[in-house]
Amino acid sequence: MTEKRIKAVIPAAGLGTRFLPATKAMPKEMLPVVDKPAIQYVVEEAVASGIDDILIILGRNKNNISNHFDSVPELESNLANKGDHEKLRRVKAPTELADIHFVRQGEPKGLGHAVLRSRNHVGDSTFAVLLGDDLIDVRDTLLTKMIDENQKSGLTVIALMEVDPEHIHMYGAAAVEATDDPDVVRVTGLVEKPKKEDAPSNFAVIGRYVLNPGVFDILERTEPGKGGEIQLTDALQELAVTEGVLGVVFRGRRYDTGDRVDYIKAIVQLASDRDDLGPELRPWLKDFASQL
Ligand code: G1P
């Protein structure tokens, strides 16, 4: 099959109120997860799946996201003069990842509205959307499988994960039917953040989407839904009942950085797995846990 190159869109315009006051003057996407801002992991994931053109949708007070992906000549020459090649590599890495573009959302009218702001950049092509609150472990492929499924079927593909039914109210929830592939389901309906008793299943939408451009026309006329916001889930519900939507079921490691406790867990898990930090951190963690 000939590989079609697709662009990625990363909405980064949320207010991050759960992390106040840390996010009073700094976007939540810049909160460090070990030693990289959360959004850098998401950009790296897109790049790892073969994407080299990324559009980040910014909100107000988000300028330091664009600064992060720009070069800092004074710092770079300072590190080069000192011969500190390792730090120099780390400073330059975000700049060299991909061709990164930015657009401001204008008004915070919801995820569906943020995605619609990418229309001019994306054009009439399939594109990926990656949400910054969900970090997918680089060792577990998800987006690549989603892009493959889109290229095979021509359908929009979303990522799903089974969650505890007590938590389904925090996600979009999908009604699904099995296919021949145990990792792929047909999505027959979607509802944004339902009450536990109204949820069609415990399949939660996690923040990875491979969308056909037809979603833009739907988003143009999608009315505000849950929370008074234009919801991507509502547009996808329409797509599910018209042209069809597939779900790739993810069973790998996902870290939720949108919630304070989960954010702390993500940092501990990722750091303890790292070769440079794990050997020192793991024995300390065991000792610390034994005193709890
Ligand atoms: C968004 C989507 C929701 C999805 C979630 C995944 O919600 O609207 O359908 O389940 O991301 O993280 P948010 O968490 O931005 O409120």
Side-chain angles (χ1 to χ4, degrees), residues 18 28 111-112 131 133-134 159 168 170-173 190-193 204-209 229-233 254 256 258:
R18 281 184 281 189
K28 65 171 175 171
L111 177 60
L131 306 188
D133 285 350
D134 292 297
I168 196 71
M170 300 192 297
Y171 300 91
L190 283 161
V191 40
E192 178 68 3
K193 304 201 174 96
V205 177
I206 56 171
R208 299 292 179 273
Y209 309 80
E229 297 189 336
I230 298 172
Q231 297 292 352
L232 180 59
T233 305
R254 164 182 172 263
D256 179 356

Side-chain angles (χ1 to χ4, degrees), residues 13-15 57-60 104-115 117 229-230:
L15 297 174
I57 319 282
L58 300 173
R60 296 180 66 240
R104 300 270 291 229
Q105 187 178 359
E107 291 167 90
K109 294 207 280 193
L111 177 60
H113 177 257
V115 170
R117 295 286 291 124
E229 297 189 336
I230 298 172

Side-chain angles (χ1 to χ4, degrees), residues 10-15 27-29 39 56-66 102-109 113-114 117:
I10 302 179
L15 297 174
K28 65 171 175 171
E29 294 79 6
I39 195 164
I56 301 181
I57 319 282
L58 300 173
R60 296 180 66 240
N61 281 333
K62 304 272 184 165
N63 289 339
N64 37 14
I65 295 182
S66 43
F102 300 92
V103 65
R104 300 270 291 229
Q105 187 178 359
E107 291 167 90
K109 294 207 280 193
H113 177 257
R117 295 286 291 124

Side-chain angles (χ1 to χ4, degrees), residues 1-7 49-51 124-127 147 150-152 154-155 210-213:
M1 187 180 329
T2 49
E3 202 195 306
K4 249 193 302 175
R5 290 201 90 73
I6 68 169
K7 295 179 181 175
S49 71
I51 295 173
D124 197 22
S125 309
T126 297
F127 63 108
I147 295 170
N150 168 269
Q151 296 196 347
K152 273 196 278 177
L155 296 176
V210 177
L211 301 173
N212 284 342

Side-chain angles (χ1 to χ4, degrees), residues 224-273:
K226 194 92 186 178
E229 297 189 336
I230 298 172
Q231 297 292 352
L232 180 59
T233 305
D234 293 344
L236 293 175
Q237 154 66 20
E238 186 175 329
L239 218 49
V241 295
T242 52
E243 62 176 56
V245 169
L246 294 180
V248 166
V249 180
F250 183 63
R251 298 188 178 86
R253 288 159 281 196
R254 164 182 172 263
Y255 312 97
D256 179 356
T257 58
D259 171 84
R260 283 175 298 175
V261 171
D262 285 333
Y263 168 75
I264 294 164
K265 289 183 195 165
I267 293 174
V268 173
Q269 282 174 279
L270 286 166
S272 66
D273 273 354

Side-chain angles (χ1 to χ4, degrees), residues 29-290:
E29 294 79 6
M30 289 299 292
L31 288 172
V33 177
V34 190
D35 49 10
K36 287 189 283 194
I39 195 164
Q40 186 175 334
Y41 289 85
V42 181
V43 170
E44 286 171 351
E45 181 191 336
V47 170
S49 71
I51 295 173
D52 60 7
D53 183 307
I54 295 170
L55 177 70
I56 301 181
I57 319 282
L58 300 173
R60 296 180 66 240
N61 281 333
K62 304 272 184 165
N63 289 339
N64 37 14
I65 295 182
S66 43
N67 290 342
H68 181 71
F69 293 101
D70 201 357
S71 53
V72 193
E74 328 66 281
L75 179 58
E76 287 170 23
S77 53
N78 184 300
L79 291 170
N81 290 341
K82 281 201 263 178
D84 196 338
H85 301 296
E86 172 52 22
K87 287 208 185 91
L88 181 61
R89 188 191 60 74
R90 279 154 55 185
V91 167
K92 288 174 90 165
T95 322
E96 293 166 350
L97 280 170
D99 191 7
I100 302 183
H101 308 262
F102 300 92
V103 65
R104 300 270 291 229
Q105 187 178 359
E107 291 167 90
K109 294 207 280 193
L111 177 60
H113 177 257
V115 170
L116 189 52
R117 295 286 291 124
S118 70
R119 186 170 199 166
N120 277 342
H121 185 80
V122 165
D124 197 22
S125 309
T126 297
F127 63 108
V129 173
L130 294 88
L131 306 188
D133 285 350
D134 292 297
L135 298 190
I136 302 295
D137 199 298
V138 279
R139 294 163 291 184
D140 301 320
T141 52
L142 170 60
L143 196 54
T144 314
K145 164 92 176 153
M146 295 173 69
I147 295 170
D148 283 352
E149 289 303 322
N150 168 269
Q151 296 196 347
K152 273 196 278 177
S153 65
L155 296 176
T156 282
V157 181
I158 62 176
L160 298 173
M161 190 164 188
E162 287 194 80
V163 299
D164 181 334
E166 296 298 326
H167 296 155
I168 196 71
H169 68 278
M170 300 192 297
Y171 300 91
V176 301
E177 282 171 2
T179 67
D180 295 340
D181 181 340
D183 293 330
V184 179
V185 290
R186 210 178 326 280
V187 176
T188 57
L190 283 161
V191 40
E192 178 68 3
K193 304 201 174 96
K195 287 196 199 123
K196 181 184 162 193
E197 51 277 22
D198 300 332
S201 75
N202 67 331
F203 279 98
V205 177
I206 56 171
R208 299 292 179 273
Y209 309 80
V210 177
L211 301 173
N212 284 342
V215 75
F216 290 130
D217 280 344
I218 301 176
L219 283 170
E220 293 275 9
R221 55 182 152 75
T222 300
E223 296 288 333
K226 194 92 186 178
E229 297 189 336
I230 298 172
Q231 297 292 352
L232 180 59
T233 305
D234 293 344
L236 293 175
Q237 154 66 20
E238 186 175 329
L239 218 49
V241 295
T242 52
E243 62 176 56
V245 169
L246 294 180
V248 166
V249 180
F250 183 63
R251 298 188 178 86
R253 288 159 281 196
R254 164 182 172 263
Y255 312 97
D256 179 356
T257 58
D259 171 84
R260 283 175 298 175
V261 171
D262 285 333
Y263 168 75
I264 294 164
K265 289 183 195 165
I267 293 174
V268 173
Q269 282 174 279
L270 286 166
S272 66
D273 273 354
R274 273 186 31 179
D275 293 341
D276 55 343
L277 305 172
E280 196 178 332
L281 182 60
R282 284 192 298 267
W284 177 84
L285 264 177
K286 277 193 193 138
D287 186 43
F288 179 70
S290 72

